Amino acid sequence: QSSQLQILADNKDIIEQVQAEAIEKDILPRRDDVLKRVKENKRKEQKKDTPILPVDIFNVIYADPCWTYRNSGIIGAAANHYNTMSTEDICNLKIPSSVNSVLFLWVTNPLLKDGLQVCESWGFEYKTNLIWDKVKPVMGHYSSVRHEILIIAGKGNAAPTCDGKTIQS
């Protein structure tokens, strides 16, 4: 609740807009309406910040998307620290990958399904994953979380295998 109060304090102009609209409709303005408007405005701003991707074509794609999480009401929420993108927007990015390429995609536990969806939408097939053990535990939604997942996926003839030196088909 305190984070919601902080959001309201930081968005007095939106409060005034919502109040004016409520008066026009002869209804009472609600806190939820203001918070919803703040969220909508933030999403519009984030869409303006869609990353510019290179025009070259690459055999190896290394991606760490700015995922949107479902924890917008807390201080530690990703959206409070950097611009985020919805899974749908990430899926719609035009990734400059060659016909035969490998994808290394960072994803956290709550968004594992989303990560697999992104792989597929970018034309890659899941092969395996690696785990980054961060050592220091952090409390997640359901348990202590101290790792991130690096999905490894292939496209075309670039099914990732390793001979100790290179990734090859």
Side-chain angles (χ1 to χ4, degrees), residues 7-22:
I7 291 169
L8 293 172
D10 293 341
N11 291 282
K12 293 177 182 174
D13 55 329
I14 294 177
I15 292 173
E16 291 171 4
Q17 290 172 4
V18 170
Q19 284 176 332
E21 291 169 10

Side-chain angles (χ1 to χ4, degrees), residues 117-164:
Q117 179 184 343
V118 167
C119 285
E120 188 175 308
S121 71
W122 289 354
F124 290 88
E125 181 182 337
Y126 172 84
K127 300 297 179 183
T128 190
N129 67 72
L130 298 174
I131 300 297
W132 170 28
D133 183 351
K134 296 181 176 185
V135 181
K136 182 182 175 188
V138 176
M139 194 58 204
H141 293 288
Y142 302 103
S143 65
S144 176
V145 180
R146 58 180 259 180
H147 70 276
E148 283 193 39
I149 301 164
L150 181 64
I151 292 175
I152 302 172
K155 183 182 198 184
N157 292 326
T161 60
C162 185
D163 66 2

Side-chain angles (χ1 to χ4, degrees), residues 1 8 13 18-20 27 34 42 45 55 60 62 64-66 74 83 85 97 109 120 135 137 145:
Q1 199 173 25
L8 293 172
D13 55 329
V18 170
Q19 284 176 332
I27 59 174
V34 174
K42 196 172 225 178
E45 284 300 312
V55 292
V60 177
Y62 182 80
D64 190 2
C66 46
I74 64 171
N83 290 335
M85 294 175 69
S97 59
N109 290 308
E120 188 175 308
V135 181
V145 180

